[in-house]
Amino acid sequence: MVERITPAVIKQDTKFRKPLPVGLKLAVTLRFLATGNSYTSLGFSFRTSTSAISLFVPLVCQALIDAYKPEVMRCPTTPEEWNEVAPQFSTRWNYHNCGGALDGKHVGIRKPDNAGSQYFNYKKFHSVILLALADAQYRFLYVDVGAEGGAGDAGTWSRCNLLIAIEKSRIGFPRGNKLPNDNIQVPFHIIGDDAFSLKTWLMKPFAHLSQVHHERVFNYRLSRARRVVENAFGLLQMRWRIFGTTINLRPTVVRVITLCACVLHNLILQHQPPVLHHIDREDQNYNLVPGSWKEQENLMQRLIAEQGKNPSREAKGLRNYLAHYYSSEAGSVPWQERQIYPRGRPAHV
């Protein structure tokens, strides 16, 4: 969770002869997020001291969080609210009973003092982790910011408040719904990549190499829906270029800045849809056309599966059932065979 700035910092205006205008503070903060320029560079551009910028940027970010987060980033807590999210995945991505796509992003930072390897991640740089649950419209439903980069997605998820709320049935998940053209009640669930543990309420792809037909179909359908969270991270970085740099600030400040950017991301999407060529999309034959965000450096990659996982028999059974459903006549879409076997389905499959 985000740590608040100390009261001593809040009194920063008293250190200057003349308080800085609020409009100037907001302009500097937005320029900092949008460009990732150093405080020194911003000081020359806005004729403001570097020390003043370092004090008010976190304060402005926290003020934006307090003002807009309750409005634009509210995690559903009732079955009715979750049932508003699921139809978006059904109609747009042909994946049913889904409450969101889960993934993590490493936000690069300088090595904190006396931190050792705590923030050093498997990608060989220091970072804090942004763990997010996104809906079908690329908006963040829930974010957890600030875990040390060395923890990885799975380690961050194991300590996440959302996981605790789901396991203790405090999040208001619906019991489940029948799939289209089917009469079996299927549990409501979220989707993630292979870094997370398989649960009845969290589906992930089949990882083994010798996948049979229905398993390949399921992986395609799940991955197609899960791309929304990757594209959400891509849009976040394209709008706020600070995430394409190594942020030269303390982890506590990086947490505030990152959460602020996520709130502003949702606020912008509420009033303006994303530019089509920025995100992954599909052509008229449902072939994937990568978005322009993938051309940038330091973007999120999938973590490898964590060793020692033991999914429950019930979760494995649910995943197998969904795999058979999405490969059957009841749950299939016309183009999926062409996407899985672009050169034609082999005779032995």
Side-chain angles (χ1 to χ4, degrees):
M1 301 297 292
V2 173
E3 295 184 11
R4 298 281 180 154
I5 307 302
T6 60
V9 176
I10 298 178
K11 299 178 181 178
Q12 57 91 12
D13 272 345
T14 62
K15 298 183 180 180
F16 306 99
R17 293 182 178 180
K18 184 178 180 180
L20 297 173
V22 174
L24 174 64
K25 294 180 182 180
L26 180 60
V28 172
T29 302
L30 293 179
R31 177 71 68 84
F32 175 64
L33 293 175
T35 63
N37 289 346
S38 65
Y39 286 166
T40 303
S41 175
L42 293 171
F44 284 120
S45 298
F46 289 89
R47 298 183 180 182
T48 306
S49 70
T50 303
S51 58
I53 294 175
S54 67
L55 290 171
F56 70 67
V57 163
L59 297 174
V60 173
C61 288
Q62 187 62 60
L64 291 171
I65 293 169
D66 295 339
Y68 291 107
K69 186 174 183 292
E71 175 187 347
V72 301
M73 189 186 292
R74 293 179 61 254
C75 183
T77 56
T78 64
E80 292 75 20
E81 291 176 339
W82 286 111
N83 282 327
E84 292 178 3
V85 177
Q88 300 172 8
F89 280 95
S90 295
T91 57
R92 189 162 185 174
W93 302 112
N94 306 105
Y95 191 91
H96 312 295
N97 274 13
C98 180
L102 180 71
D103 208 347
K105 172 182 174 59
H106 287 273
V107 178
I109 63 171
R110 72 177 183 189
K111 180 184 177 182
D113 297 335
N114 304 316
S117 61
Q118 190 176 14
Y119 289 88
F120 193 70
N121 61 42
Y122 78 102
K123 299 181 180 182
K124 311 302 181 184
F125 64 91
H126 296 272
S127 66
V128 296
I129 296 178
L130 165 61
L131 187 71
L133 183 73
D135 67 8
Q137 308 293 330
Y138 314 108
R139 296 173 299 195
F140 296 122
L141 296 174
Y142 171 87
V143 296
D144 183 281
V145 190
E148 302 84 357
D153 287 4
T156 305
W157 176 241
S158 66
R159 304 192 301 266
C160 181
N161 290 335
L162 180 61
L163 170 64
I164 298 172
I166 293 175
E167 290 185 332
K168 294 187 176 181
S169 302
R170 296 199 306 239
I171 200 64
F173 263 10
R175 291 187 177 181
N177 296 298
K178 295 179 180 179
L179 300 176
N181 304 314
D182 196 25
N183 59 357
I184 301 297
Q185 197 87 356
V186 172
F188 194 85
H189 56 275
I190 59 179
I191 54 179
D193 63 13
D194 205 41
F196 303 100
S197 297
L198 181 67
K199 304 285 185 181
T200 54
W201 45 263
L202 197 162
M203 289 288 105
K204 68 175 188 177
F206 291 95
H208 55 267
L209 298 178
S210 56
Q211 296 172 13
V212 296
H213 174 65
H214 65 273
E215 293 173 343
R216 297 188 67 174
V217 169
F218 175 76
N219 281 7
Y220 166 69
R221 296 288 289 274
L222 183 142
S223 298
R224 184 171 179 261
R226 199 187 60 80
R227 283 204 306 266
V228 296
V229 68
E230 294 182 353
N231 279 273
F233 288 147
L235 287 171
L236 181 73
Q237 180 160 315
M238 288 203 70
R239 287 197 174 107
W240 311 115
R241 297 301 177 94
I242 189 172
F243 296 114
T245 66
T246 298
I247 305 177
N248 192 26
L249 298 172
R250 302 188 312 275
T252 52
V253 179
V254 174
R255 292 165 187 166
V256 177
I257 290 172
T258 303
L259 181 55
C260 176
C262 292
V263 171
L264 293 176
H265 167 86
N266 279 12
L267 180 64
I268 293 172
L269 285 182
Q270 193 175 73
H271 300 281
Q272 180 180 355
V275 179
L276 187 60
H277 72 271
H278 285 171
I279 56 177
D280 290 349
R281 58 198 185 278
E282 296 173 333
D283 60 20
Q284 59 183 1
N285 295 319
Y286 298 94
N287 296 312
L288 176 63
V289 180
S292 58
W293 65 267
K294 289 187 175 178
E295 299 174 1
Q296 300 185 56
E297 297 180 352
N298 296 332
L299 291 179
M300 173 271 308
Q301 299 175 358
R302 298 180 186 177
L303 289 177
I304 60 173
E306 186 180 55
Q307 298 294 323
K309 294 183 179 177
N310 184 23
S312 67
R313 181 178 301 178
E314 185 179 359
K316 285 184 176 180
L318 174 59
R319 184 171 64 176
N320 284 327
Y321 178 80
L322 289 172
H324 284 285
Y325 169 78
Y326 286 122
S327 60
S328 69
E329 184 178 350
S332 64
V333 290
W335 64 86
Q336 65 187 28
E337 295 287 330
R338 185 174 66 252
Q339 294 298 319
I340 299 170
Y341 307 108
R343 297 182 180 179
R345 183 173 174 180
H348 66 277
V349 176

